[in-house]
């Protein structure tokens, strides 16, 4: 029985209980949200027997972030990917996707799953293509079904499948600046053009549901026609596919499968809220999982910042999970440092969204850090920071001695110009006046020389 089926039957599973404690929400709310399809608990039954700590993705929960790792045909090995996994989890990624497209994928993924306390996602068509020798034209539907089952047996918790991209959508992309930027989407488009047949992932959707249901793999319905540039955002192609994703959401629910829906990657700020609301309407409020979105196209090398702006807005509007972008986006395969920067940028975006949505307990850490800042408790500030090492490093670049960890100033203002120190002095003066009964006593008027 899947989490969805259990919830619909009125059962509260151990995973729901665990999630309720993590989110500080009632168990009954978790159960009702999962039953409604508005929340998913990606928890492959195989991964549950190993290292997985269940978590929830949904509008009632805190905003989650995903980090992508994985090797390529050009570079990376198992040890490197495990380092990326550790970096992602250490800095707060809620899920990790293995997007490996190179060699020895099975061994690398098994090591990742065995070591990961967070859900692991994949895009099965990548490994299937590698095993076919790189020629998508050779794919038979059974190849894809077999790959999904193989990965499900490994313990993959959710899979991105581009089942909503149909033959009749292809002509809608012809005037785009960047065409089809989804790797999975472009591969399926190529297959349909070659064989002049409908998307086999769409026509075999129920067969895939049977595999997913057996292991309680969560669907991540892929957006093969997501825009790859600001100019292509919110176009007819994107929304035509989204409409089909709504249909597939309901078909998956009917088969007892959990579902989340993937969303666009490049969207100007003024269109983000509309995109989130449109997905909610089309997909009956299934959790929305967005890549970014990037709000401008002119910042290669800084796209973790460009996209974190859009991600915060998307989370505020109701997106349930934000897929990170690293500084290497559009430029190369991320290394562990790129993963760190991407995760931190997106933890900021997700937290900002939770603050804007007044999520329960979201402000506790902010208030604690602010109190530590006003009290000049530098070590507590470092401890509460999202990235304590960097916070400490910046402070110590100018005032490294231990005595400055209790100083009532930093190198920005020095001891004479610190506004917080001046504020504290004012409060001390007011307290002293109150204690002596002199508070509110008029002072002598100042002599003013007139011209």
């Amino acid at each position: 029985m899947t989490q969805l089926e259990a919830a619909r039957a009125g059962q509260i599973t151990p995973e729901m209980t665990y999630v309720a404690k993590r989110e500080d929400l009632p168990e009954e709310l978790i159960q009702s949200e999962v039953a409604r399809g508005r929340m998913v608990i990606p928890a492959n039954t195989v991964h549950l027997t190993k290292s997985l700590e269940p978590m929830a993705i949904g509008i009632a929960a805190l905003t989650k972030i995903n980090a992508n790792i994985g090797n390529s045909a050009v570079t990376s090995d198992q040890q490197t990917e495990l380092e990326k996994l550790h970096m992602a989890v250490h800095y707060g990624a809620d899920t990790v996707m293995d997007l490996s497209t190179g060699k020895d994928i099975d061994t690398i993924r098994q090591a990742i799953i065995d070591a990961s306390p967070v859900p692991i996602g994949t895009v099965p068509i990548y490994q299937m293509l590698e095993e076919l020798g790189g020629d998508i034209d050779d794919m038979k539907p059974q190849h894809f079904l077999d790959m999904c089952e193989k990965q499900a047996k490994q313990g993959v918790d959710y899979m991105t499948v581009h089942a909503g991209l149909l033959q009749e959508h292809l002509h809608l992309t012809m005037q785009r600046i960047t065409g089809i930027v989804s790797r999975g989407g472009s591969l399926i488009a190529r297959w349909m053009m070659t064989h002049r047949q409908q998307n086999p992932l769409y026509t075999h959707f129920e067969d895939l549901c049977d595999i997913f249901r057996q292991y309680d793999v969560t669907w991540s319905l892929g957006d093969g026609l997501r825009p790859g540039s600001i100019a292509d955002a919110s176009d007819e192609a994107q929304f035509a596919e989204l409409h089909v994703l709504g249909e597939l959401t309901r078909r998956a629910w009917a088969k007892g499968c959990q579902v989340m829906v993937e969303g666009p990657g490049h969207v100007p700020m003024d269109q983000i809220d509309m995109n989130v609301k449109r997905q909610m309407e089309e997909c009956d409020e299934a959790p929305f999982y967005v890549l970014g979105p990037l709000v401008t196209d002119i910042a290669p090398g800084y796209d973790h910042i460009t996209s974190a702006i859009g991600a915060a807005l998307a989370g505020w509007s109701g997106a349930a999970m934000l897929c990170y972008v690293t500084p290497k986006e559009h430029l190369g395969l991320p290394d562990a440092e790129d993963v760190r920067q991407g995760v931190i940028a997106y933890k900021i975006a997700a937290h900002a969204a939770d603050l804007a949505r007044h999520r329960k307990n979201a402000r506790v850490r902010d208030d604690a850090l602010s109190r530590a800042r006003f009290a000049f408790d530098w070590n507590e500030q470092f401890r509460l920071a999202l990235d304590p090492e960097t916070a400490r490093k910046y402070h110590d670049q100018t005032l490294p001695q231990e005595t400055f960890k209790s100083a009532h100033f930093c190198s920005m203002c020095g001891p004479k110009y610190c506004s917080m120190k001046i504020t504290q002095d004012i409060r001390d003066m007011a307290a002293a006046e109150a204690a002596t009964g002199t508070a509110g006593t008029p002072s002598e008027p100042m002599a003013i020389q007139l011209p």
Side-chain angles (χ1 to χ4, degrees):
M1 184 178 288
T2 66
Q3 297 292 329
L4 176 62
E5 291 172 321
R8 285 175 170 173
Q11 298 179 23
I12 295 176
T13 65
E15 293 72 38
M16 294 177 200
T17 297
Y18 192 92
V19 163
K21 290 178 181 177
R22 288 187 68 169
E23 298 284 344
D24 193 16
L25 293 172
E27 293 179 357
E28 294 76 15
L29 176 63
I30 302 298
Q31 179 262 323
S32 65
E33 288 293 292
V34 173
R36 170 67 177 75
R38 209 157 36 199
M39 177 181 287
V40 297
I41 301 176
N44 184 310
T45 54
V46 177
H47 199 182
L48 273 173
T49 65
K50 298 180 179 180
S51 55
L52 182 65
E53 299 173 5
M55 53 80 70
I57 302 167
I59 196 169
L62 293 172
T63 307
K64 303 304 190 298
I65 71 164
N66 170 70
N68 293 333
I69 63 173
N71 74 347
S72 75
V74 177
T75 183
S76 188
D77 54 23
Q78 178 176 314
Q79 186 56 39
T80 300
E81 295 314 311
L82 288 175
E83 289 173 3
K84 293 179 189 176
L85 171 68
H86 173 75
M87 189 70 76
V89 174
H90 176 72
Y91 283 99
D94 299 291
T95 77
V96 170
M97 289 198 78
D98 172 23
L99 305 184
S100 292
T101 59
K103 303 297 183 184
D104 207 19
I105 294 177
D106 279 335
T107 302
I108 292 174
R109 180 173 301 115
Q110 195 62 67
I112 288 171
I113 292 170
D114 291 346
S116 178
V118 304
I120 297 298
T122 62
V123 184
I125 200 169
Y126 296 167
Q127 185 177 3
M128 185 212 69
L129 184 64
E130 170 64 22
E131 296 189 2
L132 287 177
D135 192 345
I136 190 62
D137 296 345
D138 293 338
M139 182 185 75
K140 302 286 193 298
Q142 193 61 46
H143 288 141
F144 191 82
L145 292 169
D146 291 345
M147 181 53 63
C148 288
E149 185 161 20
K150 179 180 183 178
Q151 293 191 1
K153 287 179 177 178
Q154 276 193 304
V156 172
D157 300 289
Y158 66 95
M159 298 185 198
T160 295
V161 179
H162 300 91
L165 169 55
L166 305 182
Q167 277 184 301
E168 50 267 37
H169 299 156
L170 297 183
H171 76 280
L172 300 174
T173 69
M174 294 306 173
Q175 301 304 314
R176 281 181 162 188
I177 289 180
T178 50
I180 300 174
V181 297
S182 161
R183 283 191 296 194
S186 65
L187 290 168
I188 290 299
R190 166 63 187 257
W191 189 94
M192 289 191 292
M193 286 295 293
T194 298
H195 295 279
R196 303 294 173 177
Q197 295 179 27
Q198 187 56 278
N199 184 348
L201 313 186
Y202 177 83
T203 58
H204 288 74
F205 189 77
E206 269 68 25
D207 297 327
L208 288 165
C209 283
D210 290 338
I211 296 170
F212 282 29
R213 181 185 176 278
Q214 182 178 355
Y215 298 90
D216 200 3
V217 174
T218 298
W219 279 98
S220 188
L221 291 173
D223 52 340
L225 295 181
R226 68 174 181 266
S229 62
I230 293 298
D232 297 338
S234 308
D235 67 355
E236 190 178 356
Q238 177 191 329
F239 289 137
E241 182 188 32
L242 179 62
H243 185 71
V244 178
L245 296 183
E247 170 205 329
L248 295 177
T249 296
R250 292 179 283 275
R251 286 167 64 181
W253 283 343
K255 297 284 284 187
C257 296
Q258 300 188 88
V259 183
M260 58 183 172
V261 179
E262 297 187 13
H266 293 245
V267 183
M269 288 196 296
D270 62 304
Q271 296 178 23
I272 290 174
D273 184 68
M274 177 273 290
N275 269 266
V276 175
K277 299 298 193 296
R278 180 77 175 262
Q279 184 274 344
M280 290 179 175
E281 178 183 347
E282 293 276 7
C283 302
D284 294 348
E285 297 182 307
F288 201 22
Y289 167 30
V290 296
L291 175 62
L294 287 79
V295 296
T296 181
D297 298 329
I298 64 168
Y302 299 91
D303 279 339
H304 60 311
I305 298 172
T306 300
S307 62
I309 296 168
L313 293 172
W316 183 15
S317 292
M321 186 160 75
L322 313 172
C323 184
Y324 86 166
V325 171
T326 77
K328 283 275 184 66
E329 187 75 13
H330 304 113
L331 301 172
L333 184 72
D335 60 18
E337 175 58 19
D338 296 315
V339 169
R340 184 185 74 86
Q341 291 195 41
V343 169
I344 291 170
Y346 271 67
K347 289 299 288 186
I348 295 169
H351 186 67
D354 288 333
L355 289 172
R357 291 164 59 196
H358 304 286
R359 284 290 172 258
K360 186 177 182 181
N361 299 328
R363 216 182 74 184
V364 170
R365 187 168 174 177
D366 294 79
D367 291 351
L369 195 146
S370 295
R371 291 188 183 97
R373 182 173 288 150
F374 190 76
F376 297 97
D377 188 341
W378 296 101
N379 287 318
E380 182 68 357
Q381 287 186 61
F382 303 151
R383 187 186 73 82
L384 290 168
L386 279 177
D387 183 0
E389 295 87 356
T390 296
R392 182 182 296 273
K393 181 182 75 174
Y394 284 166
H395 175 273
D396 291 357
Q397 281 176 353
T398 48
L399 298 174
Q401 294 84 358
E402 192 59 31
T403 183
F404 289 112
K405 298 299 189 299
S406 57
H408 283 215
F409 62 89
C410 71
S411 62
M412 176 70 180
C413 297
K416 300 290 187 181
Y417 294 94
C418 177
S419 60
M420 292 193 183
K421 175 65 168 62
I422 295 169
T423 300
Q424 188 60 60
D425 290 344
I426 293 171
R427 290 181 178 180
D428 291 344
M429 292 167 61
E433 289 181 353
T436 60
T438 59
T441 301
S443 60
E444 291 293 323
M446 295 178 62
I448 301 174
Q449 293 283 340
L450 296 176

